[in-house]
Amino acid sequence: MKKTNILHFFANIFAFLKIKLYFCPMKRYILLLYVSFLFVHVPLFGQKDMQSFPELRKFSQQGWKIQHASYSFDSLTIYFSAQEPGKSGYDLYVTGFRGGQWSAAERMSEAVNTDADELWPSIASDERRLYFIRRTRDEKLIKSTHGAQGVLDHLYTSDYQHGVWQSAEQAIISTDHDLSPLVLPDNQTVIFARKEAERKRLYYALYHTRYLGHGDWTLPVRLDSAERRSIYGPYFRQLSDTVLQVTEAQEVERDKKEFDTLYQSRQVSLPRSMRSARYGVLTGRVTDESNGRAVEADIRLYDAITAIQLDEAHSNANTGRFRVALQPGHKYNIDITAANSSHHYLAIDCREADSLIDRHVDVQIARMLRIRINPFDAELYTAEPPEREVIRNVSTGQTIRVRTKREAQGRVYELPIGEEYALTLYSRGYQDTTLMINTRRDVRFYAAELDVPILPIKKPMIIRLEDILDSTITEGTIRLRNRNKHEIIEMPYTPPTTTVMLRQEDEYELVVQSPGHFFFDTIVSIPDGYDQQLCNLELKPIQKDMVVQLKNIQFEPNSYILTRSSFAELEKVIKLMEANPELHIELSAHTDDIGTDAYNDQLSAKRGEATLEYLVKKGIDRARLTSVGYGKHRPLVPNDSDENRAINRRVEFMVTAF
């Protein structure tokens, strides 16, 4: 069990009073020197720390006895030595600025704290190595020397590895009287005070050393001379790379019998040999991309080559600002994020000397993932916006509602980051498509776009071709054009049947051609609920003088200029002519009864000739074609209605040779 400083004080006073006290001038001086030594362990910086660290004032008001403290490099964590109310001895504690306020003090683990007093903490810039003083007492030695010896102050270090602080180890350079360690931002250079005696007076000289790793140190070198007497260990603060502020208590003689304690601060210039090794500083501000407010984020620094975490810092919850040190020799991957937020990544290479420069970045992270989903037909590559969608939280299994923006070719969903979602898209004629969106993992962007292929529901159509006379068709071609989408299917006919997969409920224009037969066209579909469809088609053999009426041959009003809607039907004629090279035809054009006979005769003749010229331009030999115009003289039905007149306005062809 630790003994309190007060008990130590009175025990030593009692031991001293047992000495015969006859007060000659020399013994008065010895008494003064002895009493001043006893007060080495009395907290000098209890009040000073309250001024330098106002964040600790609340603990002092709660009865804590605070000795020494130091900020982390980003000033968002304080490591301090204190005696908790109701307990004895001094241990090391940590408090951090989280959630906009300073947290409750957390006692460091038993790897650091012992039955001795742990004092003067100083944390490395990466917060992965802690320097502190461990004070032990040899009561027998204190008693035998009347307090002149027996209080031992040693420099200790503890490394943060695998998420825990390792057992503290005494530095091999430490003597019995080291105080006030201060590690500089390079994480190597350490400045400390060492108690020494000269002409029967105590003072603290300043030293510096460098930690070389693996327990090795350089020999301490004195920085400061012994011009001033300090009765307590000094308190250090680095003002710049070259200047150190030293605050210490000096004993000033008031008269021959009394002394006053005077607190003074002075600046010490650091020689080049003991300045911090060169390092870079990364500063920045983290805000919420949706509203610009400050975000308390975690900043983790990794070695880009080994993926080992090198450092961790935090941004201020009130300002969003952060500050981390970049050490030479590393290529950094820096991950900036907060709970249930997107990640922001930085890559900084500090392996070259000229790359160690100060940098500032403004970072935006988001609480919501705005993801645009663009469903598209997996075969036609056309946009197919969903008719509806269902979003389910995978963890809870519950369906959730999120903000959705409907766009022409897709949908934009706003998903809270930190959960895993199942997004199911429903579209008529397509298979249901489910996407797994995991925002628990690293979300590197707060806006994303995803093209999602969706598969059509297709069913088989079985096609059988038969000759209308002898039922023997051995070859042919099948062409289907989807009337709902830009889909064309062409395939050879292989008897006795050919199977083609069609989209359910879509309508197709089916055109079948076979050598020696007229083409056959019709409209087919596979209704919903059918697993397959059988289609039996009878083809007419080509015979001389047979007449075939062409569908959908259209001209501009009172003109012989073909419209684009006519090209699909004429394409069937072209394929028929190509499949049967010996076929010769006569193209005939007809009109209704509106207009004079002469006008209709001339118009129909020009329309027949225009149809012939189109086929010639497409590669059909002119010698196989003739054209004629019959005007209104060969109507199919009486011209007594608009519907009948539309039927009579037509183009036909007749086989003239085969």
Side-chain angles (χ1 to χ4, degrees):
M1 177 71 85
K2 294 183 180 179
K3 292 183 170 60
T4 64
N5 291 330
I6 295 177
L7 291 176
H8 282 308
F9 175 75
F10 283 109
N12 290 328
I13 290 292
F14 179 76
F16 180 77
L17 290 177
K18 291 196 299 181
I19 302 174
K20 293 181 179 180
L21 297 179
Y22 50 98
F23 293 96
C24 66
M26 188 61 177
K27 286 186 171 52
R28 285 197 300 271
Y29 176 78
I30 293 175
L31 176 62
L32 176 62
L33 181 61
Y34 174 71
V35 172
S36 68
F37 178 82
L38 288 177
F39 275 85
V40 169
H41 66 276
V42 177
L44 161 65
F45 290 104
Q47 297 302 321
K48 182 63 180 177
D49 282 357
M50 292 303 97
Q51 300 172 17
S52 302
F53 298 87
E55 302 86 355
L56 302 180
R57 187 174 293 115
K58 65 177 182 179
F59 301 115
S60 179
Q61 294 171 349
Q62 296 170 3
W64 291 61
K65 296 179 181 179
I66 298 175
Q67 282 266 27
H68 319 101
S70 67
Y71 284 112
S72 61
F73 188 79
D74 60 6
S75 299
L76 296 181
T77 306
I78 298 177
Y79 295 78
F80 63 97
S81 173
Q83 184 184 95
E84 195 172 347
K87 296 184 179 180
S88 61
Y90 286 84
D91 288 331
L92 297 185
Y93 294 82
V94 181
T95 180
F97 190 72
R98 304 290 184 270
Q101 61 184 359
W102 288 91
S103 65
E106 180 181 354
R107 183 178 181 273
M108 299 191 71
S109 70
E110 300 299 331
V112 174
N113 288 315
T114 64
D115 289 341
D117 288 334
E118 279 71 41
L119 309 167
W120 272 291
S122 180
I123 190 70
S125 63
D126 59 4
E127 294 192 59
R128 306 187 80 80
R129 174 172 280 260
L130 176 69
Y131 298 80
F132 65 95
I133 297 299
R134 178 170 291 166
R135 172 169 292 170
T136 58
R137 306 174 189 279
D138 186 332
E139 299 298 338
K140 292 183 178 180
L141 188 58
I142 291 176
K143 183 177 181 180
S144 63
T145 60
H146 309 296
Q149 299 180 29
V151 178
L152 308 178
D153 296 319
H154 295 111
L155 175 62
Y156 274 75
T157 65
S158 176
D159 292 330
Y160 189 76
Q161 297 177 359
H162 311 297
V164 295
W165 288 101
Q166 304 299 306
S167 296
E169 297 181 353
Q170 181 178 337
I172 61 173
I173 59 167
S174 179
T175 65
D176 293 339
H177 306 293
D178 296 327
L179 296 175
S180 304
L182 172 68
V183 56
L184 301 188
D186 64 357
N187 297 338
Q188 296 177 332
T189 305
V190 179
I191 298 174
F192 64 96
R194 178 167 288 173
K195 183 174 64 175
E196 297 181 356
E198 185 175 290
R199 295 191 298 273
K200 300 181 181 180
R201 290 182 179 270
L202 297 176
Y203 67 89
Y204 287 91
L206 307 187
Y207 283 81
H208 85 277
T209 181
R210 290 189 192 277
Y211 180 68
L212 303 178
H214 306 290
D216 295 330
W217 301 72
T218 61
L219 289 176
V221 177
R222 181 188 287 191
L223 168 67
D224 197 59
S225 63
E227 296 177 355
R228 305 185 182 191
R229 290 181 298 121
S230 174
I231 61 173
Y232 307 126
Y235 181 82
F236 299 140
R237 175 166 293 181
Q238 188 177 14
L239 301 181
S240 68
D241 289 342
T242 60
V243 178
L244 186 72
Q245 177 179 288
V246 181
T247 301
E248 54 195 347
Q250 303 292 335
E251 199 173 60
V252 180
E253 187 175 11
R254 181 191 303 170
D255 52 40
K256 291 183 179 181
K257 296 183 179 180
E258 296 184 359
F259 294 83
D260 290 331
T261 301
L262 178 65
Y263 300 96
Q264 291 184 343
S265 294
R266 58 193 175 98
Q267 294 182 4
V268 176
S269 178
L270 299 176
R272 183 175 300 274
S273 61
M274 71 167 296
R275 293 175 188 172
S276 175
R278 190 173 182 184
Y279 64 96
V281 177
L282 174 66
T283 59
R285 185 168 184 260
V286 185
T287 56
D288 190 312
E289 63 85 24
S290 64
N291 52 32
R293 295 176 181 173
V295 175
E296 182 179 20
D298 299 324
I299 298 96
R300 298 183 178 91
L301 287 74
Y302 298 89
D303 188 293
I305 298 175
T306 65
I308 296 175
Q309 183 172 336
L310 302 174
D311 195 357
E312 182 173 352
H314 308 277
S315 61
N316 188 296
N318 293 335
T319 65
R321 302 190 181 280
F322 65 89
R323 181 172 180 260
V324 294
L326 303 177
Q327 304 300 337
H330 290 292
K331 183 179 181 181
Y332 287 96
N333 281 341
I334 302 175
D335 177 14
I336 303 175
T337 188
N340 299 329
S341 298
S342 63
H343 291 248
H344 186 93
Y345 288 93
L346 300 173
I348 300 178
D349 195 342
C350 296
R351 291 177 293 182
E352 302 294 335
D354 56 1
S355 64
L356 287 172
I357 59 176
D358 293 348
R359 297 171 171 86
H360 181 87
V361 293
D362 289 324
V363 175
Q364 288 185 329
I365 58 178
R367 310 284 186 183
M368 306 289 288
L369 171 63
R370 289 195 297 273
I371 182 168
R372 173 174 174 163
I373 303 297
N374 300 321
F376 68 92
D377 191 298
E379 296 178 351
L380 304 179
Y381 300 100
T382 55
E384 297 292 341
E387 296 178 355
R388 66 185 183 93
E389 60 280 311
V390 173
I391 302 175
R392 182 171 53 86
N393 187 314
V394 175
S395 300
T396 63
Q398 296 179 344
T399 299
I400 64 172
R401 297 178 63 88
V402 299
R403 182 179 297 178
T404 303
K405 180 180 179 182
R406 297 181 176 269
E407 298 184 349
Q409 296 185 355
R411 302 287 185 268
V412 178
Y413 307 96
E414 291 192 5
L415 302 176
I417 295 175
E419 294 290 345
E420 185 175 3
Y421 304 96
L423 170 61
T424 303
L425 306 175
Y426 299 92
S427 296
R428 186 178 180 84
Y430 290 90
Q431 301 177 26
D432 299 343
T433 303
T434 299
L435 306 175
M436 302 305 296
I437 304 174
N438 191 351
T439 65
R440 290 178 177 175
R441 300 178 179 177
D442 293 355
V443 178
R444 301 193 176 194
F445 307 98
Y446 49 79
E449 187 171 5
L450 183 62
D451 296 330
V452 180
I454 57 177
L455 297 173
I457 300 174
K458 304 181 81 171
K459 297 296 176 65
M461 174 169 280
I462 303 172
I463 300 175
R464 176 184 289 115
L465 301 183
E466 297 179 349
D467 186 295
I468 198 172
L469 298 179
D470 59 15
S471 300
T472 57
I473 293 180
T474 59
E475 61 177 311
T477 59
I478 299 172
R479 186 176 190 271
L480 295 116
R481 186 179 70 85
N482 193 318
R483 303 180 72 183
N484 306 98
K485 297 178 175 61
H486 298 291
E487 178 189 22
I488 294 178
I489 303 172
E490 291 187 357
M491 60 191 309
Y493 174 72
T494 56
T497 60
T498 295
T499 301
V500 59
M501 301 298 294
L502 301 184
R503 296 166 182 259
Q504 196 164 38
E505 298 190 64
D506 282 3
E507 289 189 342
Y508 289 84
E509 293 179 1
L510 170 62
V511 179
V512 178
Q513 292 180 323
S514 178
H517 296 78
F518 289 110
F519 59 81
F520 181 94
D521 60 349
T522 186
I523 304 298
V524 297
S525 66
I526 301 180
D528 186 19
Y530 283 69
D531 292 331
Q532 64 180 23
Q533 186 87 332
L534 178 63
C535 184
N536 292 318
L537 304 177
E538 294 181 336
L539 304 186
K540 295 179 180 179
I542 299 174
Q543 296 178 349
K544 189 176 182 299
D545 297 330
M546 288 189 68
V547 177
V548 177
Q549 182 179 345
L550 299 178
K551 304 173 184 178
N552 300 319
I553 301 298
Q554 303 289 333
F555 298 90
E556 298 289 343
N558 298 317
S559 169
Y560 53 87
I561 299 176
L562 287 163
T563 62
R564 295 182 63 86
S565 61
S566 306
F567 298 160
E569 186 74 4
L570 292 175
E571 191 67 26
K572 302 174 187 176
V573 178
I574 294 171
K575 291 186 178 297
L576 176 66
M577 300 292 287
E578 291 174 343
N580 300 276
E582 68 280 11
L583 176 63
H584 290 66
I585 63 173
E586 176 192 82
L587 295 162
S588 60
H590 304 264
T591 67
D592 57 24
D593 64 342
I594 298 176
T596 64
D597 291 352
Y599 174 79
N600 285 324
D601 291 345
Q602 183 182 21
L603 179 62
S604 63
K606 288 184 176 180
R607 285 180 172 178
E609 184 179 349
T611 305
L612 182 148
E613 291 298 329
Y614 181 87
L615 298 179
V616 171
K617 288 181 180 180
K618 293 297 183 177
I620 304 302
D621 188 356
R622 186 184 294 273
R624 300 169 61 192
L625 305 171
T626 59
S627 67
V628 63
Y630 289 107
K632 62 181 182 181
H633 304 295
R634 295 186 178 183
L636 294 177
V637 293
N639 286 297
D640 55 5
S641 67
D642 290 341
E643 290 78 10
N644 285 351
R645 290 188 179 94
I647 294 173
N648 290 329
R649 295 190 298 269
R650 70 193 186 279
V651 174
E652 302 170 336
F653 73 83
M654 182 182 67
V655 177
T656 57
F658 182 65

